[in-house]
Amino acid sequence: MSNELAERLRQIREASGRSLRELERAIHVSSSSLSRYLSGQSVPPWPVVVALCQVAGRDPRPLRPLWERAKRAPVTPRPSASRPAASAASAGRNDLPYDISAFTGRREELAALLEAARTNRMVAIDGMAGVGKTALAVRAAHRLAADFPDGQLYVDLHGFTPGREPVEPAEALRVLLSALDVASARIPEATSERAALWRAELARRRAVIVLDNAVDADQVRLLLPGAGASLALVTSRRRMVELDTVRPITLEVLPAADAAELFVTASGGARSSGDPEAEAEVLRLCGYLPLAIRVAAARLRHRPAWTVATLAERLRSGELDVSNVLAMSLRQLDPAQRRMFRLLGLVPGEGVDAWAAAALADVPFGNARSLLEDLVDAHLLQESAAGRYRMHDLLRQVAVAEASPDRSPAIARLLDYYLSGMLAADAAMSHETAGAPITVSYPPTALPAFDGHDEALAWLDAEVPDIVTAFELAVELGLDTATAGLAQVMGVYFGRRGGMERWGRVLDAALPAAERLGDRRAAAWLTYRRGIARQFSGRAAEASADYRAARALMAEAGDRDGEGMALQRLAERQMDDGCFEEAIDLLRQAADLQPEATTTQGHVVTRARIGHALVQLGRFAEAHEAATEAVKVARDIDNLHLETMALRVHGAVALGTGDASGALELFRTALAQTRATGHRIAEALSLTDIAMAARALGRVVEALDHHAEALRIIHETGERLRAAPILIPYGETCLAAGDRGEAARHLRQAFDLATALGLRHLEAEARRVLAAMNLEPGADPADR
């Protein structure tokens, strides 16, 4: 019902002929709030409905019953870039751009598209640039949302984006799978396997997917639905003749009547009538293209001294094509607006927010936000979601042509904004990058404020796709300082959300930048971090080699903290092999490198890992002492994540000495803290700890529930390395519950994983439990 009310309000707004900024000034309601009301994200207060009707000269009373029903209905907020939904696929994620105002004409085409959607799973909309393909697809997708409740997805394939290669099918599949909440690390590397996973995910959903701006049939072939009831709407400047299962809809330029209606609506109607000859001339010069008509109409609306004849004269003064219509529009901008427009054409990602725009243009935040709104009002920028802005391809082409050929300074400022934002997010969560050799050459004038872990992670979730794209441009442009910094700090995100293999590729690309800079310390840290990415991608031998190389480089650079961190990771690898005495020796070497003042993160990690190794050796008193010291220091430096690491050791000591109740309380505290920090992998490990304590207390059913939740989280993150230590105790609990088949299944999975990933200690542990069951790792339990 909220969508129906929003549709009526959009009609009223269109009848008013006013932009959101004009309505904001007229009724004293912010444009961002109006955007939410007009898109159906929230229901406006009744006085706002009345004010909108008054502006448009409409009677609000017929809307009252509709408004009351909308108020009673539950409203599910639409996921946005700034705060994504926690479970987008299950909540019916809507990634569609806003339905444009003043949508005019295309009645037959829209009706044909909606009818085709009843019997076809794929519809292709083709036509020349600027003819309104995207507008039609987005309008249809919004209309069809109720029929496809499991999601409305959108991806720009950049088939004709100036200065940018079309999106590869593999990358498009990654974006679409991520939109369905498939963890990035679960997404296969092979394109064919990604396509199979995409079809499998769609088969159990009813979703509508807009594949916008496709270069050809090959680009979209693997993105189309297979079995199931989902619908794909494809737009392209080319006809998809190779796809014989796709229903085609071709758009021509607007008929004269529809073009005139669009011009009158988009210009506000005040001065667009009364001179039919001039109006006809404007439409002819705009080529009856919707995009050109909207831009020309916006110029008229914002130039009170102009008449339609004036507009026609300005159009005649240049060559009669769309580019010149758009260029004419730029001439009406003031210097600050025009500069911002040019710079936005350089942005490598899908869009920007006001903070990124401020850094790009090197202006105060408030100025940037005002300039962005001005460009939206002039139809030179689209507000794709609340507070996020993107540029149409044709406009980007004009912007790029207008921009300085040397884009490096502006891009360097944008990169340093992203780098500063990620460092601020890390500071709000865990300070993992403290002490790392990261240089911000152009500190931004403003950054978003993060009030704790949740807001920091929400910002990272929204920005990381664009940050990765910006990183790739940094590599291309040879902006080595930003490249080396971004690669390091990306681990803050990938370590929590999964995606270690992807981080490893980023680090591979960044190491040559550090070498070109001659920065041995940066090279050492990048090598060290690549070891982490490789370790948790199952490349154990390569990880160890990186840690040894990083240690040597750190020692040469005199970086004692970094050398200690490399030793800590080498100790982890020793523990993976079951060599706990050797691990303790390495950890004590790391402790010797730490400053005498024991209030550092490195000290917490060293003591906690020594405690873990001592637990494995059954030396519980020493382990308790190490964990106690680690907890104290973690609390002194206010690092909740590291405190959790130490608490888990305390719990392991309690469990090992027969105090299962005490262990359970410690593990529950650790779980609460991992959830507070948003660290999904640590959450899964804490759930496994709780399950083991519950099993020791005879609460087997409770233990099984915790095991299942832990395994689900690990599958979502895709971090296979973490699955083996979770599967072994899961199998033991299944055995305690009398379910021999499930126990064998989990233990065999753990054995296979540990063997493949070089985790010799866990491989031996899985084999030991299977042997106690009188089973071989490769045997089928049905044979016993």
Side-chain angles (χ1 to χ4, degrees), residues 89-93 144-152 206-207:
S90 61
R93 174 164 172 159
L144 292 165
D147 296 328
F148 297 89
D150 296 324
Q152 300 85 45
R206 289 183 61 86

Side-chain angles (χ1 to χ4, degrees), residues 680-681 683-684 687 708-718:
R680 297 285 283 161
I681 294 167
E683 180 182 355
L687 283 164
E709 187 179 358
L711 193 59
R712 177 184 60 79
I713 291 171
I714 288 301
H715 285 162
E716 287 176 358
T717 64

Side-chain angles (χ1 to χ4, degrees), residues 9-10 12-32 34-35 38 52 55 100-102 264-269 294 297-299 301-302 372-381 383:
L9 293 177
R10 286 195 294 270
I12 290 170
R13 179 265 179 99
E14 292 170 10
S16 76
R18 301 198 188 195
S19 69
L20 288 181
R21 292 289 294 279
E22 291 170 332
L23 286 174
E24 180 182 40
R25 291 188 288 268
I27 67 175
H28 306 294
V29 176
S30 71
S31 59
S32 60
L34 288 169
S35 294
L38 295 173
L52 284 170
V55 168
I100 66 169
S101 61
V264 170
T265 303
S267 61
R294 288 180 188 280
R299 297 274 52 80
R301 189 173 72 245
H302 290 281
L372 291 171
E373 290 294 337
D374 290 340
L375 293 174
V376 169
D377 287 347
H379 293 271
L380 293 172
L381 200 62
E383 190 173 9

